[in-house]
C-alpha cells in the first residue's frame, strides 16, 4: 500500500459533475479525515466555482491534476466513457482513485484497471454509493432470518422523467444513455441480493434513433437455482426507485433504495398472508459512508476487495446484458 504523507487524505476532484456538487463533495468536506486540495475541469470557471465552495486550487485540464504533490487520491465523476483513460492515468501517477459508476463499460477493462491498482499498491473503488446505506443490510438480515421464507424472486426499478435537451445522458460519445447510467443500479442490486453468478435470460432496450442512445429497458436474470430478477430502468418514465424481494411466505418492499437523502427515514414493508407491518429504519448518509470507506482503505488499509469483486461481477453482467438485448428503435 502506498502511504500518504499526512494524517488527512488530500483529495483532488477531476471533473465538475452535478453529482459531485450536490452530494459527493459536501460529504467529502464534512469528513474530518479529508482535505480537498484541487479541482480540475476543462473550464476553469467551473473549477473555480467548486473551489470557492469546497476549497482547494482550481486547475484547467484534467492532466494538471496528475503531477501535483499535494494530491494523494482523486475522485473522478467524469462521463462514463472517459473513466478508463483517466483511471489508468491517475493510477500510473501514483494516486488512489474513487470513480463514479460505472468504472468502465467492459469486464476486460475493469479487470485490467483493478489489477493495475493492486500492482501499484493503490486503492481503486467504484462509487455505487447505495450499497453503503444501512437499509440494505436490514433487508438482508430479514431475508436471512426467514421473514419471507425461501427467496423466490427479486424485482427492482430505477426510472426518471426525461431530462432537458442536451443533457449528457443523451450524448452517445461520452457514455450517454439510460442503461449505463440508471440500469446499472438495479443490476448491482440484483448482484447484491442474489450473488454474482446470474444468467441473462433476456433484455429489451428502447433505443432512440435520433440521439442513438438507449432510453429505457427491461432485463430478466436468474440464479443457478432458478430465482429470477426482473429489472426496469429508463429516463422516459415517471420517477421510480424501489425493489421487492418475494419469498415462499411473504415479500419485502422498499422505496427510495438508490438515492435516499441523508435525512430520509426508510420505511420497510413486510407483507405475509395474515400479517403486514412497516418498519421505520434509521436515516443514513450513503455518500458519507462511501467516502469514509474509501478514506479508511487508503489511510488504514481497509479491505475493499469485496467491493472490487462486486465491480467485476457487475461489469461482466452488464456486458452480457448488452450482448443479448433486443433493440427497438423509436
Amino acid at each position: 500500500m502506498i502511504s500518504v504523507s499526512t494524517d488527512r487524505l488530500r483529495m483532488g476532484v477531476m471533473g465538475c459533475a452535478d453529482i459531485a456538487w450536490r452530494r459527493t463533495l459536501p460529504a467529502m468536506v464534512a469528513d474530518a479525515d479529508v482535505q480537498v486540495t484541487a479541482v480540475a475541469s476543462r473550464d476553469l470557471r467551473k473549477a473555480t466555482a467548486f473551489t470557492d465552495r469546497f476549497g482547494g486550487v482550481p486547475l484547467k485540464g484534467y492532466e494538471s491534476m496528475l503531477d501535483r504533490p499535494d494530491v494523494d487520491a482523486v475522485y473522478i465523476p467524469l462521463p462514463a466513457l472517459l473513466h478508463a483513460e483517466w483511471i489508468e492515468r491517475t493510477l500510473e501517477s501514483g494516486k488512489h482513485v474513487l470513480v463514479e459508476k460505472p468504472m468502465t463499460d467492459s469486464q476486460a477493462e475493469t479487470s485490467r484497471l483493478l489489477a493495475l491498482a493492486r500492482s501499484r499498491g493503490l486503492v481503486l473503488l467504484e462509487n455505487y454509493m447505495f450499497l453503503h446505506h444501512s437499509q440494505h443490510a436490514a433487508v438482508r438480515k430479514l431475508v436471512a432470518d426467514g421473514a419471507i421464507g425461501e427467496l423466490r424472486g427479486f424485482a427492482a426499478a430505477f426510472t426518471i422523467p426525461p431530462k432537458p435537451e442536451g443533457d449528457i445522458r443523451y450524448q452517445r460519445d461520452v457514455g450517454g444513455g439510460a442503461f449505463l447510467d440508471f440500469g446499472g443500479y438495479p443490476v448491482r442490486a440484483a448482484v447484491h441480493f442474489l450473488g454474482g453468478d446470474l444468467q441473462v435470460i433476456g433484455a429489451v432496450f428502447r433505443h432512440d434513433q435520433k440521439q442513438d442512445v438507449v432510453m429505457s429497458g427491461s432485463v430478466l436474470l436468474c440464479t443457478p437455482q432458478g430465482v429470477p430478477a426482473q429489472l426496469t430502468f429508463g429516463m422516459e418514465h415517471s420517477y421510480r426507485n424501489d425493489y421487492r424481494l418475494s419469498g415462499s411466505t411473504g415479500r419485502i418492499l422498499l422505496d427510495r433504495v438508490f438515492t435516499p437523502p441523508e435525512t430520509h427515514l426508510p420505511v420497510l414493508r413486510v407483507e405475509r398472508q395474515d400479517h403486514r407491518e412497516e418498519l421505520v429504519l434509521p436515516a443514513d448518509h450513503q455518500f458519507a459512508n462511501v467516502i469514509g470507506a474509501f478514506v479508511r482503505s487508503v489511510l488504514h488499509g481497509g479491505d475493499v476487495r469485496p467491493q472490487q469483486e462486486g465491480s467485476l461481477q457487475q461489469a461482466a453482467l452488464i456486458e452480457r446484458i448488452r450482448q443479448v438485448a433486443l433493440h427497438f428503435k423509436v
Side-chain angles (χ1 to χ4, degrees):
M1 174 72 66
I2 293 178
S3 61
V4 299
S5 57
T6 69
D7 57 356
R8 298 178 74 192
L9 186 63
R10 299 174 303 177
M11 291 287 302
V13 180
M14 187 180 289
C16 296
D18 181 61
I19 189 69
W21 177 269
R22 291 187 299 106
R23 306 299 298 273
T24 316
L25 266 294
M28 199 175 287
V29 298
D31 191 311
D33 291 326
V34 175
Q35 179 185 4
V36 176
T37 56
V39 177
S41 173
R42 292 177 298 179
D43 183 342
L44 188 60
R45 291 172 299 177
K46 287 185 178 180
T48 301
F50 268 65
T51 56
D52 285 348
R53 179 181 177 189
F54 301 113
V57 177
L59 305 173
K60 182 175 176 58
Y62 306 139
E63 60 282 333
S64 60
M65 182 77 70
L66 302 180
D67 295 327
R68 290 192 67 91
D70 60 346
V71 174
D72 304 308
V74 177
Y75 167 55
I76 302 179
L78 294 172
L81 291 190
L82 299 180
H83 287 178
E85 174 188 355
W86 289 103
I87 291 170
E88 182 171 15
R89 294 181 66 174
T90 304
L91 292 172
E92 288 180 340
S93 74
K95 304 182 192 306
H96 307 273
V97 174
L98 173 65
V99 62
E100 278 301 329
K101 53 77 193 165
M103 185 180 295
T104 77
D105 66 343
S106 82
Q107 180 185 11
E109 279 285 84
T110 297
S111 179
R112 183 179 67 83
L113 292 172
L114 286 170
L116 175 62
R118 291 166 185 162
S119 72
R120 292 177 173 262
L122 295 166
V123 174
L124 171 57
L125 185 64
E126 181 182 33
N127 187 22
Y128 265 108
M129 63 286 177
F130 80 92
L131 296 171
H132 297 264
H133 196 292
S134 57
Q135 62 183 342
H136 310 298
V139 171
R140 292 179 90 169
K141 185 176 188 306
L142 281 171
V143 173
D145 290 345
I148 57 172
E150 295 183 12
L151 190 59
R152 296 285 189 255
F154 176 80
F158 193 3
T159 62
I160 68 165
K163 305 296 288 184
E165 187 174 351
D167 187 271
I168 196 169
R169 295 166 181 85
Y170 299 142
Q171 299 174 26
R172 178 180 173 82
D173 58 340
V174 290
F179 183 52
L180 284 181
D181 198 325
F182 303 102
Y185 285 92
V187 172
R188 191 59 180 266
V191 171
H192 185 66
F193 286 104
L194 302 179
D197 189 16
L198 291 167
Q199 181 180 349
V200 182
I201 305 303
V204 174
F205 288 178
R206 274 176 50 89
H207 199 279
D208 184 273
Q209 193 165 1
K210 179 181 177 182
Q211 299 179 105
D212 199 24
V213 295
V214 174
M215 299 294 288
S216 62
S218 296
V219 178
L220 179 61
L221 312 173
C222 78
T223 69
Q225 296 76 35
V227 177
Q230 298 173 303
L231 314 177
T232 301
F233 67 91
M235 52 185 183
E236 50 182 2
H237 306 69
S238 61
Y239 189 79
R240 188 178 170 194
N241 181 347
D242 57 44
Y243 62 60
R244 178 179 71 251
L245 295 99
S246 301
S248 56
T249 62
R251 61 180 183 165
I252 293 173
L253 303 96
L254 190 62
D255 200 6
R256 304 295 292 275
V257 295
F258 300 125
T259 59
E262 56 267 28
T263 56
H264 175 65
L265 295 173
V267 178
L268 193 158
R269 288 187 289 157
V270 181
E271 298 180 353
R272 293 188 286 272
Q273 183 173 351
D274 57 350
H275 176 82
R276 177 176 297 180
E277 63 179 313
E278 292 187 346
L279 306 174
V280 180
L281 304 177
D284 202 5
H285 196 331
Q286 59 191 28
F287 283 87
N289 292 344
V290 73
I291 295 298
F294 180 72
V295 171
R296 287 192 299 273
S297 66
V298 174
L299 295 182
H300 308 298
D303 187 8
V304 294
R305 286 175 296 179
Q307 293 97 316
Q308 291 175 335
E309 181 60 29
S311 293
L312 279 172
Q313 293 170 341
Q314 171 84 356
L317 196 50
I318 288 288
E319 202 166 83
R320 294 200 300 274
I321 292 169
R322 293 171 80 177
Q323 288 168 355
V324 306
L326 298 175
H327 287 257
F328 291 86
K329 295 193 174 182
V330 295

